[in-house]
Amino acid sequence: MKTLSLTPNVTTTLEKRIVETRRQKDILLMSHVVIGYPSFDSNRVAINSLVNAGVELIELQFPFSEPIADGPVLIKANQEAVANGATVNDCFQFAREITKKHPRVLFLITTYYNILFKYGVKKFLKSASKIGIAGVIIPDLPPEEATEYVEICKNNDIAAIFLLTPKTRYSRVQQIAGMASGMVYCVARAGVTGDRTNFSEDFDSYIQRVREATSLPIGVGFGIQTKEDIEYLKGRVDIAVIGTQAVKLLVEKGAQSLGEYMRGLRSETMSFTKL
């Protein structure tokens, strides 16, 4: 398969740094923590393990009580974090601490639009920019209602990252690609996060449709779990997203196992232990 073509017209810090890093690595890894679950201290230890394992991008999920794009593991994580009292201000304080401690890692915020709406969209995005957040993912914000959000992101060097699915019609892929910045997030399959993805024969044509619509780096997530998944994605996309499995492993086996798992996904020598 041909070498991936990345855009020469870099417009955000996120895109620039992804492009620079991809020149050195055949695929990047992106992982996930739900802030406040199981605790802020656990989050700190988990992020240290992810960073030490060489993970280039980390999503910091600001918890929301009804995370409609997420599966059971992340729903539980979100709801418990909220029940334990994690607030938006707590999350920003934590994110400020983490971005300062790990300046070479690209940190993104993932959350739902109600969080931004209640906090104030402009205030939220300016706060994110001030603490070094590189991009924001809002799964339930449709492009038809995102014009102001995209403009505020642009003015604050925040990448507005949108999700695409295999069922997204091409005209809509083009519409979303025209609004996105930093990268695009391709959902590997229909459904919610967490379930294992088995790549179908249609996957290559799906990614090709996205490539035709945008020169932004492409990440693929939802059900990415094994080293074999990562090997399959090499040469096809730029970033493999491992979210639910990271959160699950942290809770079940601890941060050390999480780090070993993430390191093993790209290692020639380490074997993968299926969860």
Side-chain angles (χ1 to χ4, degrees):
M1 187 166 293
K2 67 179 181 179
T3 302
L4 301 183
S5 173
L6 298 180
T7 176
N9 301 315
V10 175
T11 57
T12 63
T13 296
L14 178 64
E15 183 183 354
K16 179 180 179 181
R17 289 184 57 186
I18 290 173
V19 169
E20 289 172 349
T21 308
R22 271 284 283 116
R23 293 192 181 109
Q24 305 165 27
K25 300 182 180 182
D26 49 11
I27 196 164
L28 309 186
L29 297 182
M30 178 166 146
S31 196
H32 193 102
V33 299
V34 178
I35 300 180
Y37 178 81
S39 69
F40 287 95
D41 285 340
S42 294
N43 294 152
R44 291 183 180 94
V45 177
I47 290 169
N48 285 340
S49 292
L50 292 171
V51 173
N52 290 335
V55 173
E56 291 86 7
L57 301 93
I58 299 176
E59 296 176 72
L60 304 174
Q61 184 160 10
F62 282 33
F64 180 56
S65 58
E66 299 178 49
I68 60 173
D70 290 312
V73 172
L74 293 185
I75 288 175
K76 179 178 184 290
N78 274 263
Q79 292 177 343
E80 288 198 12
V82 171
N84 290 337
T87 67
V88 175
N89 286 332
D90 291 336
C91 292
F92 270 124
Q93 183 175 344
F94 178 83
R96 182 182 296 110
E97 170 196 332
I98 291 301
T99 55
K100 184 177 181 180
K101 183 176 181 180
H102 303 289
R104 299 185 66 178
V105 176
L106 292 163
F107 286 98
L108 316 174
I109 289 175
T110 297
T111 194
Y112 289 82
Y113 188 71
N114 189 60
I115 298 289
L116 278 74
F117 180 76
K118 293 184 72 173
Y119 193 84
V121 176
K122 184 177 290 187
K123 179 183 176 183
F124 187 98
L125 295 171
K126 283 187 173 182
S127 296
S129 178
K130 286 179 181 178
I131 63 173
I133 295 297
V136 176
I137 303 171
I138 312 294
D140 62 341
L141 180 62
E144 293 83 2
E145 299 177 19
T147 302
E148 180 185 15
Y149 163 80
V150 168
E151 188 63 25
I152 297 170
C153 284
K154 180 180 177 181
N155 292 338
N156 288 280
D157 191 26
I158 292 282
I161 303 166
F162 288 87
L163 272 62
L164 297 168
T165 78
K167 296 186 179 297
T168 305
R169 64 183 185 276
Y170 187 64
S171 61
R172 190 168 179 81
V173 171
Q174 291 177 304
Q175 177 190 12
I176 292 172
M179 300 182 75
S181 55
M183 60 177 281
V184 292
Y185 188 134
C186 288
V187 174
R189 49 158 176 75
V192 295
T193 60
D195 292 337
R196 176 72 195 278
T197 290
N198 293 310
F199 295 104
S200 70
E201 295 178 358
D202 296 330
F203 182 80
D204 281 342
S205 60
Y206 163 39
I207 296 301
Q208 183 59 36
R209 291 196 304 274
V210 178
R211 286 277 177 215
E212 290 172 358
T214 183
S215 55
L216 289 171
I218 295 175
V220 169
F222 282 46
I224 309 304
Q225 298 182 9
T226 69
K227 183 176 179 179
E228 288 72 27
D229 293 337
I230 305 301
E231 290 299 319
Y232 179 85
L233 292 173
K234 287 180 180 179
R236 289 178 164 86
V237 302
D238 307 294
I239 304 158
V241 185
I242 303 94
T244 297
Q245 290 302 104
V247 174
K248 182 179 179 181
L249 185 56
L250 172 66
V251 173
E252 293 183 356
K253 296 189 177 181
Q256 182 176 345
S257 292
L258 171 61
E260 291 173 354
Y261 164 70
M262 296 301 297
R263 194 176 292 110
L265 290 175
R266 282 189 300 203
S267 171
E268 295 292 332
T269 58
M270 292 186 69
S271 62
F272 169 75
T273 301
K274 190 171 181 180
L275 298 181

